[in-house]
Amino acid sequence: YEDFLSELGLVRLSVRVARYEAGWEARLRWWACVNPRLEPRRGVPHARLRDVTFRWLDGGGDGGGELHRLVEERGVRLDAGRGPLADGSASLDAEAMLPLLPLTSPAVAHRARLPLPA
């Protein structure tokens, strides 16, 4: 599914990495917009955006640290005449579409304390 859409240029995956004094952060953003013009036999019209953020915080003197993961999923089904993308003006720019897409589920956060391997 994703590979086929990627060939059509409809799926984007971006990765941003930042290093901080006390750790690092990696942010993955997966964006897909399928059939925004509601054309027949071109797939179910919908848009999805998934952000996953990983943050590593150094633990100090013991060498371990904490890994935090936050997952947010947004999406909308495209219907003629209704919704934020109903006119078929969906953009492949995930940043531009972020405010238009409602959360499809609550944000999920995970935290793990990882000691230094012995």
Side-chain angles (χ1 to χ4, degrees), residues 26-71:
R27 181 171 296 178
L28 288 79
R29 173 168 281 170
W30 183 82
W31 164 244
C33 185
V34 178
N35 194 9
R37 291 191 174 85
L38 310 173
E39 295 176 12
R41 293 183 282 187
R42 296 283 176 122
V44 176
H46 71 282
R48 288 183 58 202
L49 177 67
R50 181 177 179 150
D51 282 323
V52 181
T53 304
F54 294 94
R55 289 187 185 102
W56 173 261
L57 303 173
D58 293 334
D62 68 355
E66 286 185 355
L67 182 64
H68 297 256
R69 182 178 78 154
L70 178 65
V71 179

